[in-house]
Each structure stands twice: as C-alpha cells, then as structure tokens.
Amino acid sequence: MTPYVEDGWDVRDFQKICGSRVDVLEHVREFIVRHPKATVHVGSDSKKRGDKIVYAVAIVLRIPERGGHVIFSKRAQPNHKQRNEDSVFLRLNNEVKQSIEAAEALLDVVDHNKLSVHVDLSSRTQNLSHKIHSMAMGWVGALSLTAFSKPDSWAASAVAHRFCQNW
C-alpha cells in the first residue's frame, strides 16, 4: 500500500507516548477490532519555536466510560516571515489541513460515524481564529465527519497542544 504523504508529512507515521512508532492505519484498525465501541478523535496544534513552526497531530482512541489511548505525530517546518496575522491564519489553516488529512486516511479503517475532527478555532467573534472557523467547520463537514471547535475541541486544544509544548 502506498503511504499517504502530503507536503513531506507521512500521515501514517505516528508514535505512542512511549516513543515506539506505529503505522496509524494498522494500529487504529487493531484497536477498533479489540474495542468496537471506541470512537476516534483527531486534533492538531502548532507553535512557533524560533525559526520553525512545530505541528502536532494527536489521534485519541476513546473507549466510552473506560478511558483511551493516544498516538501522535510531530513535525517542524520553516517559519516563513510574513505579517503576523497572515502567519497566524496560515498556521491555523495548516493545523486543520493536517487533521483532515489524518482523518481522511483513517476513513479506510474507521466508520465516519465514529470519527471526529477537533479544530483549535473559536466561534466567538472576538477571537482571531474566528475568521477561519466557518471555513474549517465546513471543510470537515464536507467529509461527512463531526467537527468540534473550542471549547469542545479537547483533542486539539489539550492533547495535541501538549505535544507542541514538548518539542
């Protein structure tokens, strides 16, 4: 099977918190077989670190009333100097894009009703991320996936955020 690769990021190359690498499709497929009631939540976050932007994509495999399991992928890319607002929108758009790419890959092994995408964007007009909120929610919805935004996007704003902080 050809790996899903976009912009130099292999959306199948994830790792467990312990550091061991996993093929995301095989890992999630096996998890769903063992836990048929599990749901899958994908979220991304990013952070500027010097001359780079660090991106983290988290996939949370949640077993209702029992807990869950997290796998993640991280990458860094050059921080192209742009106007601050343009840079923020580019980063946020890339976060959404990477979450969607991971979710699309997971559709090969997870029913779309059990898969959601969490975007680290706010629907509140006073927040800067609001400007691309509708676009992102529509993008996810066009794939027939459930989209969550702040304050309900915990896979992005809490789980993926944790991996961005620890580069």
Side-chain angles (χ1 to χ4, degrees), residues 39-40 103-104 106-117 140-147:
T39 55
V40 181
E104 283 182 312
L106 289 171
L107 285 171
D108 288 346
V109 296
V110 179
D111 183 88
H112 77 278
N113 293 318
K114 291 185 169 200
L115 181 61
S116 67
V117 176
V140 174
L143 296 171
S144 298
L145 297 174
T146 302

Side-chain angles (χ1 to χ4, degrees), residues 7 29 34 62 75 86 96 102 104 124 127 145:
D7 298 332
R29 179 185 298 117
R34 285 192 320 270
R62 185 175 174 276
R75 73 181 184 120
D86 291 344
V96 175
E104 283 182 312
R124 298 175 61 185
N127 295 343
L145 297 174

Side-chain angles (χ1 to χ4, degrees), residues 10 39 41 51 53 75 88 93-94 107 111 121 128 130 146-147 150 153 155 158:
D10 184 348
T39 55
H41 309 270
D51 63 344
I53 298 174
R75 73 181 184 120
V88 169
N93 189 64
N94 282 336
L107 285 171
D111 183 88
L121 305 170
L128 186 61
H130 170 337
T146 302
K150 286 181 178 178
S153 59

Side-chain angles (χ1 to χ4, degrees), residues 3-156:
Y4 297 85
V5 178
E6 188 72 32
D7 298 332
W9 177 60
D10 184 348
V11 299
R12 289 188 55 169
D13 186 23
F14 276 71
Q15 64 186 42
K16 296 178 184 180
I17 292 175
C18 66
S20 62
R21 298 195 106 47
V22 297
D23 178 296
V24 69
L25 296 184
E26 291 176 25
H27 188 78
V28 172
R29 179 185 298 117
E30 291 170 6
F31 192 90
I32 295 294
V33 166
R34 285 192 320 270
H35 308 283
K37 293 183 180 181
T39 55
V40 181
H41 309 270
V42 181
S44 299
D45 196 22
S46 63
K47 180 176 183 133
K48 287 194 283 188
R49 290 213 177 257
D51 63 344
K52 296 187 183 327
I53 298 174
V54 175
Y55 291 95
V57 179
I59 297 175
V60 181
L61 306 165
R62 185 175 174 276
I63 306 166
E65 300 178 15
R66 288 192 50 209
H69 172 67
V70 176
I71 57 176
F72 68 96
S73 177
K74 292 197 310 189
R75 73 181 184 120
Q77 70 179 35
N79 182 13
H80 303 292
K81 302 298 179 196
Q82 299 173 341
R83 286 182 340 164
N84 191 39
E85 190 172 287
D86 291 344
S87 176
V88 169
F89 290 134
L90 179 61
R91 269 191 323 118
L92 293 174
N93 189 64
N94 282 336
E95 287 176 21
V96 175
K97 180 178 182 260
Q98 290 179 46
S99 292
I100 287 173
E101 289 169 353
E104 283 182 312
L106 289 171
L107 285 171
D108 288 346
V109 296
V110 179
D111 183 88
H112 77 278
N113 293 318
K114 291 185 169 200
L115 181 61
S116 67
V117 176
H118 294 220
V119 296
D120 198 17
L121 305 170
S122 176
S123 61
R124 298 175 61 185
T125 57
Q126 60 267 37
N127 295 343
L128 186 61
S129 67
H130 170 337
K131 291 185 178 182
I132 66 168
H133 178 269
S134 293
M135 178 274 306
M137 299 300 275
W139 193 1
V140 174
L143 296 171
S144 298
L145 297 174
T146 302
F148 292 100
S149 63
K150 286 181 178 178
D152 301 316
S153 59
W154 50 266

